[in-house]
Structure formats: C-alpha cells, structure tokens
Amino acid sequence: MAAQNAQRLVGGALADQHAGAHAMAEGEQVGGFGVRIPPLVQGARALIITSALLSAAGFLWQSQTGADAGYLEGLLGPAIVMSAGMGLLITPITTLVTSGVPAREAGAASGLMNATRQIGGAIGLAALVTLAATVTGTMSAYQEVFTAIAVVCAVVAATACVLPAPPHAAADN
C-alpha cells in the first residue's frame, strides 16, 4: 500500500522498484497501522530472510496445534504470525525481481513475476493437496501440510542467504 501511495503522490513518476524501496524504508501498512521496519532488517535480502523465517514459525506453530486447542492459541496466534511473515515477503521480493531491470522492461519483469507467482501457487497447492491425500486422518493431514509449508519457507530463507545481490544493490545487503 505504501508503494502505491508513493506512486500516487508523485503522479506515477516513481518506478516500481523505487516505490518498493520506499515502502520498505517507511514501513508496511498492516491492518491499517503503519509498522516501522527496524534498521536491523532493512534491505531486501534481510527482510526476505526475516519474514520467511517468521512465516515458517507461524506454519510450524499451526502444525503443532491439536484439535482441542482454543481459538487464540490454535488459530488466531499462528494466523497472525503466518500473515505477518507472508505479507512482509511481497515488497522485498518484488523489489529484488524488478531491481536492475531497465525501466522500459519493468512491466515485463513485473508481469513475469506475477505469472510465475500464480503458476507456482497452483503447483504448490496441487502438491499440498496430494500430500494431504496421502495422510490418514484429517488432523494429521493438516499437520503434515503445515509442516511442509514451514519447510518451504525455511528453504526460501536459506536460498535468500546464498543468492547474489543485484550489482547496484550490493551495498544494501
């Protein structure tokens, strides 16, 4: 939201990657509240690692929840942690994908990223449904699926650690 607002305020003159960097520096809008991102996690790579691990923790928490858990500790708590982590992943990933791309190709890069996200989501959902179908018992299936998602989030964090930084963003990370 902050990126869109920044673009609106300057009449669309900011490129997507600059607006995304602005959003990271100024803080994301979460539930209508501005959350200031601490300097410790500024930089796209650090934010990806931190938010992927936060998401992994939320999914792992959800995987450990039993059928007898209450609403707060069994649903709301893990959902807040998962949502915060996944929500904070969007801007830095977009920033990294579109950084270093010439302005005339930014739309194509953004479109490719969105298409890849949609296709990846469909394949990921199919894999998770297949995993759930192989497990006996509804609760066990949910636990396996949430554990698998936590592992994927941890792999995202590990991958972000080893990917090379864009040439002009090397000082950022």
Side-chain angles (χ1 to χ4, degrees):
M1 288 176 82
Q4 291 171 338
N5 190 42
Q7 285 181 328
R8 183 183 61 77
L9 290 175
V10 295
L14 288 178
D16 286 343
Q17 64 265 22
H18 295 121
H22 171 75
M24 286 194 312
E26 294 300 317
E28 291 293 327
Q29 292 291 326
V30 180
F33 299 99
V35 178
R36 185 86 175 145
I37 299 171
L40 177 64
V41 294
Q42 286 188 356
R45 181 188 310 254
L47 189 54
I48 289 171
I49 293 166
T50 303
S51 56
L53 291 175
L54 183 62
S55 296
F59 283 110
L60 194 58
W61 181 5
Q62 185 71 63
S63 74
Q64 303 302 312
T65 302
D68 58 343
Y71 174 72
L72 291 178
E73 73 275 6
L75 184 64
L76 184 62
I80 290 172
V81 174
M82 288 183 278
S83 299
M86 296 305 281
L88 289 172
L89 271 172
I90 294 169
T91 299
I93 288 176
T94 302
T95 300
L96 283 181
V97 167
T98 58
S99 65
V101 175
R104 68 182 183 281
E105 296 175 6
S110 179
L112 181 59
M113 180 195 67
N114 287 328
T116 303
R117 184 181 294 157
Q118 293 294 319
I119 293 168
I123 292 171
L125 180 60
L128 292 172
V129 168
T130 302
L131 173 64
T134 64
V135 178
T136 305
T138 303
M139 197 65 194
S140 295
Y142 282 126
Q143 290 172 334
E144 288 295 320
V145 166
F146 283 121
T147 301
I149 298 170
V151 168
V152 169
C153 289
V155 168
V156 167
T159 302
C161 290
V162 298
L163 287 177
H168 68 283
D172 186 40
N173 296 310

